[in-house]
Amino acid sequence: MAQSRHIPPPLPPASRMSARGGKKKATKLSRSARAGVIFPVGRMMRYLRTGTHKYRIGMGAPVYMAAVIEYLAGLPELLRGVTISNGGVLPRIHPELLSKKRGGRVKADSQTSVPEKQEERSKSKKPAKSFKKVKGKRGRKPKSTDNDKESVPNSTVEDGPGDGFTILSAKSLFLGQKLSLTESEISKIGTIKVEAIINPTNAEMDLKDGVGNALEKAGGREFLDAVKELRKAHGPLEVASVAVSPASGMAARFVIHCNVPQWGSEKCEDQLEKTVKNCLSAAEDKKLKSVAFPSLPAGRNGFPKQTAAQLILKAISNHFVSCTSSSLKNIYFVLFDSESIGIYLQEMAKLDAK
């Protein structure tokens, strides 16, 4: 009888390889893993081949494309709140989506605890006191005048610049002042809720161009008469000097008129810095808390926008570094065109790096 041969069971692949003395198979890496990117390189290759059959696509093209898209996908987090100058697209945020009060987070927290507060009030509720009725006409309030606006300090609402003004970026300065970049239309400059508006003008303090014309339309005849009286009392404005008039018919209390230097004139850059500092000093003399700066060297003054933004921000920063205390708490840059907004966003971002 023939003996049966014992056939051993087959070895697993790895054992067979080791029995042969070969190396174990390495795990297959994807093209994305080999390139060190997260986005799928193979899918990028398929996208590139779609509709481009007549073109030869190199092996490095999908890797480069995946790396670029991955980089761009991370930009919104890296450049949050930053607009690239001349980028072509600016953030257009509806004012309703922005928190109108500086304490927006605190307000949201307080809303969650409203039921608890109502329970406490209901427990400690006391009988209401009875009030005697006072005879008189209802619904009429005494008409406010410019003198009343001057006599009541800090009368403006601290909720922000108001409707029609979108805050795009904000920075804190040396003494804690808040510097905000605001987008709006030039026709709405007279409705901004600040205590003083800066009006870039000339020696005659005319209101023909830009901001001055918008302020005249907002303030009406009363504001125009106040400026005429200021001209008679003050005389021609010297370069970099300022004069203050009541902001009749506007939400603000005062308008600070400043004679901005011409680009190319002698020491024009130093004069522009001096103009900004004089505006801030005039606001501090009135014990004001907020002021709105439009683009100062506008139109006929001919300053390059990049140079003007650098000089104005430098002057504001140096002013608060040099002074020991200031009544000013909020400074708004109110800009009306996309180019200026992009430039100021770029220059304000540099304040953190300094």
Side-chain angles (χ1 to χ4, degrees), residues 105-122:
R105 292 181 181 176
V106 179
K107 185 177 179 182
D109 296 338
S110 63
Q111 287 177 350
T112 58
S113 60
V114 166
E116 298 177 4
K117 291 183 179 180
Q118 288 179 348
E119 290 179 5
E120 292 177 3
R121 289 177 184 174
S122 61

Side-chain angles (χ1 to χ4, degrees), residues 31 34 41 45 48-49 56-64:
R31 295 177 67 181
R34 282 182 287 171
V41 174
M45 188 64 171
L48 288 172
R49 284 176 175 168
R56 182 180 177 276
I57 299 172
M59 298 304 293
V63 177
Y64 181 77

Side-chain angles (χ1 to χ4, degrees), residues 167-186:
I167 296 179
L168 301 177
S169 179
K171 302 290 180 186
S172 294
L173 298 178
F174 184 73
L175 295 177
Q177 287 81 11
K178 189 176 179 182
L179 184 63
S180 301
L181 179 61
T182 309
E183 178 189 12
S184 185
E185 298 174 7
I186 193 169

Side-chain angles (χ1 to χ4, degrees), residues 155-342:
S155 61
T156 57
V157 183
E158 292 296 328
D159 291 347
D163 295 335
F165 297 87
T166 304
I167 296 179
L168 301 177
S169 179
K171 302 290 180 186
S172 294
L173 298 178
F174 184 73
L175 295 177
Q177 287 81 11
K178 189 176 179 182
L179 184 63
S180 301
L181 179 61
T182 309
E183 178 189 12
S184 185
E185 298 174 7
I186 193 169
S187 59
K188 296 180 180 178
I189 187 67
T191 64
I192 188 169
K193 293 180 180 178
V194 293
E195 293 192 300
I197 303 172
I198 308 300
N199 175 35
T201 183
N202 53 15
E204 289 75 28
M205 287 185 278
D206 65 49
L207 304 172
K208 295 178 182 178
D209 294 340
V211 175
N213 190 21
L215 292 176
E216 181 182 357
K217 290 179 180 178
R221 187 69 189 176
E222 193 174 357
F223 172 68
L224 185 59
D225 292 341
V227 174
K228 288 180 179 179
E229 291 179 6
L230 183 64
R231 286 190 202 128
K232 293 179 182 178
H234 193 280
L237 270 180
E238 295 183 3
V239 176
S241 60
V242 300
V244 183
S245 70
S248 306
M250 305 178 211
R253 294 170 57 199
F254 301 100
V255 173
I256 301 175
H257 308 270
C258 59
N259 187 1
V260 181
Q262 296 280 339
W263 173 251
S265 60
E266 185 179 1
K267 297 181 179 180
C268 60
E269 295 185 356
D270 295 337
Q271 292 286 1
L272 181 59
E273 290 187 42
K274 185 179 178 181
T275 304
V276 175
K277 292 180 180 179
N278 287 341
C279 290
L280 296 173
S281 299
E284 289 171 340
D285 291 341
K286 296 285 185 180
K287 305 297 181 185
L288 306 183
K289 285 189 175 182
S290 56
V291 63
F293 275 90
S295 183
L296 287 189
R300 56 191 171 191
N301 298 89
F303 263 83
K305 292 184 178 181
Q306 189 90 29
T307 304
Q310 292 170 352
L311 293 172
I312 292 170
L313 286 169
K314 177 184 173 184
I316 292 175
S317 180
N318 290 342
H319 175 81
F320 290 114
V321 168
S322 61
C323 66
T324 56
S325 62
S326 175
S327 63
L328 287 170
K329 302 298 178 187
N330 287 290
I331 299 169
Y332 297 96
F333 282 119
V334 187
L335 303 177
F336 316 110
D337 64 286
S338 59
E339 184 184 1
S340 297
I341 292 170

Side-chain angles (χ1 to χ4, degrees), residues 67-80:
V68 170
I69 294 178
E70 185 174 318
Y71 172 74
L72 294 175
L75 278 181
E77 185 67 24
L78 179 65
L79 302 178
R80 184 189 302 169

